[in-house]
């Protein structure tokens, strides 16, 4: 008697699908083990370490100044934010106070970089859900920001412009006009993105009410930044800590409601307007004075430890530095927001379809350089 | 006697004569299909290069393929770690001949700023035969375009590729690394 005659349900098993490390949607070299029941995802297990370069260990054998270029290569799309986080931590460790002009320049750089990073986010999200054109539009406008960085420090991507005590050099001639010209264009091209993507029905269906995460789940996973704000928690380190020049600026913290893919996209989209607002205020109120505090050539911070956090592009970026009194850090630990966000992948994708796992993955915006460190 | 001499004088102005070999080289050199395998920072510059401003499509190299079986150029853009080395070598071996490798950025050339790290391969030429090296950290998109044009020259003259291939000896046993990683 075979199983069809007994009227019993045929026995099924789950099976494991391996995605990556070479896959166009993994944003680098991540491997994901998907446990599937037919088309449904039961469990997602990210396997990392394919880009583990040992940055934390390398920093122990470098002086404090030499460490700063390594932070560029952590989150390589928003290097200015990483420089800012590291330099702020070292300054707190040594008790150096950056001059107000430096703080304003830093805020401009960090926000410009946030804009460029969110552009890459929108482009790659669109690409992963099937709209390849989105990437071409966002990368076109991102080049303008990279031109501004090129003018500032001669590098497009790994800037290393923000240094311990201030910034590497004063803003060059023509910087102000160039940034203002760019800011005038911001509403135009953001409208272009929304016309292109948000009005598209396929884009809406792929993102709305897919991979929902509640605020409690997101906080349990330790998620911060736009991913947490999409669930409705208005947590932004720029507001909470008010470091640098940020207390001087008037800006909102956009939040979502449902914590689905759409909200994660929308929060970042609205953040771009806020970033543009901050840059304009910083340009208007740019104080005169030094761009660099007095920093000794050989930096030997006093014995002790410090944990300093900033709002990176992907969330709360923390640097924990232990000093033993020499010119090299004894231990550096970096709290990388993308790494923490990866934990949210499993609760988000559970019960969804395989295709939605790709969209969920793109929507939390992980960057392998930062995940693996 | 040259091939051109076979053409009767009446047709000299209307007919172009070449060898199949030369035609193939010309076609290959002008339509390289790179594998879209980004490892780290340089991958973003590679994407910029393919995007609107730098527009790699001008040269015919824009068809980035997601699978190794359809591509003939492996751009190693970024830091190669020991954990990633076996998958990358497998990707290279899955690509059909003729195939070429570009080492993009200082990490791929010699480990770059991570050369003294415990987990980084000090240059991809320990595991793969490299045709073109592009320095920079990361190289600008113009540099990548220049590197690909250099590769085009090399494809047009495959005897040079064969020469460099002969010199390549894989100094590291990838299978052993794979076993160690497992």
């Amino acid at each position: 008697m075979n199983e069809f005659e007994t009227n019993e349900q045929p026995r099924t098993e789950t099976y494991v699908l391996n995605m990556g490390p070479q896959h166009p949607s993994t944003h680098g070299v991540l491997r994901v083990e998907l446990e599937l029941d037919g088309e449904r995802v039961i469990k997602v297990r990210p396997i990392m370490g394919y880009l583990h370069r040992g940055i934390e260990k390398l920093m122990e054998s470098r002086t404090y100044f030499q460490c700063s270029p390594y932070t560029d290569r952590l989150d390589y799309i928003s290097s200015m934010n990483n420089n800012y986080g590291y330099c702020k931590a070292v300054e707190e460790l040594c008790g150096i106070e950056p001059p107000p002009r430096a703080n304003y320049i830093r805020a401009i750089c960090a926000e410009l970089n946030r804009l460029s990073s969110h552009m890459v986010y929108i482009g790659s999200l669109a690409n992963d859900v099937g709209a390849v054109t989105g990437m071409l539009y966002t990368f076109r406008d991102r080049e303008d920001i990279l031109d501004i960085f090129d003018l500032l420090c001669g590098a497009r991507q790994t800037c290393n412009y923000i240094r311990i005590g201030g910034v590497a050099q004063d803003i060059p001639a023509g910087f102000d006009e160039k940034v203002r010209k760019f800011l005038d264009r911001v509403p135009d091209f953001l409208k272009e993105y929304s016309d292109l993507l948000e009005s598209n029905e396929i884009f809406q269906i792929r993102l709305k009410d897919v991979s929902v995460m509640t605020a409690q789940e997101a906080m349990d996973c330790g998620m911060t930044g736009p991913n947490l704000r999409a669930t409705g928690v208005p947590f932004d380190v720029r507001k909470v800590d008010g470091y640098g020049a940020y207390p001087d600026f008037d800006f909102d913290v956009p939040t979502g409601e449902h914590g689905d893919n759409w909200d994660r996209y929308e929060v970042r989209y609205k953040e771009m307007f806020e970033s543009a607002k901050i840059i304009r205020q910083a340009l208007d109120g740019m104080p005169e004075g030094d761009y660099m505090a007095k920093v000794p050539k050989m930096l030997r911070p006093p014995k002790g430890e410090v944990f300093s956090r900033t709002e990176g592009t992907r969330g709360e970026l923390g640097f924990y530095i232990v000093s033993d009194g020499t010119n090299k850090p004894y231990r550096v630990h970096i709290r990388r927001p993308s790494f923490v966000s990866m934990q949210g992948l499993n609760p988000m994708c559970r019960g969804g379809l395989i295709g939605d796992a790709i969209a969920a993955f793109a929507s939390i915006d992980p960057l392998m350089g930062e995940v693996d460190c | 006697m040259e091939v051109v001499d076979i053409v009767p004088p009446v047709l000299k102005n209307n007919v172009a004569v070449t060898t199949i070999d030369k035609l193939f080289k010309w076609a290959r050199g002008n339509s390289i299909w790179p594998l879209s395998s980004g490892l780290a920072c340089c991958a973003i510059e590679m994407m910029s290069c393919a995007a609107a401003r730098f527009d790699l499509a001008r040269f015919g190299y824009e068809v980035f393929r997601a699978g190794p079986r359809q591509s003939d150029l492996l751009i190693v853009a970024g830091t190669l770690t020991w954990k990633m080395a076996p998958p990358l070598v497998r990707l290279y071996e899955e690509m059909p001949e003729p195939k070429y490798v570009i080492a993009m950025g200082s990490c791929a050339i010699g480990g770059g700023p991570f050369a003294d790290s415990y987990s980084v391969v000090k240059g991809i030429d320990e595991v793969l035969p490299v045709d073109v090296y592009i320095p920079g950290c990361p190289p600008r998109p113009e540099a990548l375009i220049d590197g690909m044009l250099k590769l085009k020259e090399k494809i047009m003259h495959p005897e040079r590729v064969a020469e460099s291939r002969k010199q390549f000896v894989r100094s590291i046993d990838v299978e052993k690394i794979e076993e160690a990683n497992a």
Side-chain angles (χ1 to χ4, degrees), chain A residues 11-12 23 29 32 40 44 77 92 100 110 112 160 182 186 204 206 210 290 295 307 315 318 321 324 334 341 350 363:
Chain A
R11 218 158 43 86
T12 58
H23 189 277
V29 280
V32 185
R40 295 273 162 194
V44 178
I77 301 183
E92 280 174 19
L112 277 175
N160 194 22
F182 169 73
V186 169
Q204 289 184 12
R206 288 297 301 272
V210 177
D290 284 338
V295 180
F307 178 80
I321 303 175
D324 57 354
I334 307 155
S341 298
R350 225 166 18 204
S363 81

Side-chain angles (χ1 to χ4, degrees), chain A residues 22 28 76 135-136 139 142-143 146 156-157, chain B residues 34-52 54-57 61-65 73-78 102-105 134 138-145 148:
Chain A
Q22 154 65 25
Y76 35 78
M135 201 195 97
L136 294 173
F139 269 72
R142 182 173 172 264
E143 289 294 335
L146 297 187
R156 282 158 52 88
Q157 208 176 303
Chain B
L35 177 69
S36 68
S37 94
L39 298 181
C41 332
C42 293
I44 307 294
E45 287 296 62
M46 194 168 80
M47 281 157 75
S48 302
C49 195
F54 295 98
D55 196 13
L56 205 54
Y61 306 148
E62 82 282 13
V63 199
F64 277 89
R65 295 283 105 178
L73 167 65
L74 177 65
I75 303 178
V76 184
I102 285 183
M104 182 183 180
I134 306 172
R140 301 174 75 92
E142 295 96 321
L144 180 60
I145 292 174
M148 294 196 64

